[in-house]
Amino acid sequence: MTRAIVRHVPHTIRQHPDTKVMFEASCQRCAWDAVPSTDADVVDEQCLVHAGRSNHRVFRRAMLSHAFVVREGESDKPPPAP
C-alpha cells in the first residue's frame, strides 16, 4: 500500500518587480491592432483614433504582466525576469 503525505502551504502571487506591465488592444470589427505600450493612455488614444476613422467602437483590451509565486516561509525574492 502506498501512502501519500499531503500538506497545504499558503501561496501568494506578486507582480515581478523587474518587468513592466504591457497594454494591448485590438478592434473587434476588423484586424486592426494597437501598438503595444507600457502606457495604457497611449493604447487608448490609438483606439480612439481608429474609432474616429472607421466608426468601429468595440475593442478588446489586455494588460499583460509577469508574476511569480511565493510559498509561505520561503524568500520572497523573485526569480530572474524572463
Side-chain angles (χ1 to χ4, degrees):
M1 177 191 275
T2 302
R3 291 183 160 215
I5 297 174
V6 178
R7 67 182 185 137
H8 298 277
V9 179
H11 292 69
T12 57
I13 189 164
R14 298 190 178 144
Q15 171 73 34
H16 199 292
D18 298 334
T19 63
K20 294 185 178 188
V21 175
M22 290 296 294
F23 298 90
E24 298 179 355
S26 61
C27 179
Q28 298 299 281
R29 304 275 302 167
C30 70
W32 178 87
D33 291 319
V35 176
S37 176
T38 56
D39 186 338
D41 291 338
V42 168
V43 173
D44 287 349
E45 180 66 26
Q46 292 177 64
C47 293
L48 291 168
V49 169
H50 178 73
R53 291 180 177 160
S54 65
N55 200 31
H56 297 167
R57 296 185 283 166
V58 179
F59 299 88
R60 179 192 56 81
R61 297 190 306 170
M63 181 181 78
L64 306 170
S65 67
H66 288 92
F68 68 103
V69 172
V70 178
R71 288 183 180 160
E72 185 177 275
E74 292 183 349
S75 168
D76 63 351
K77 182 180 178 212

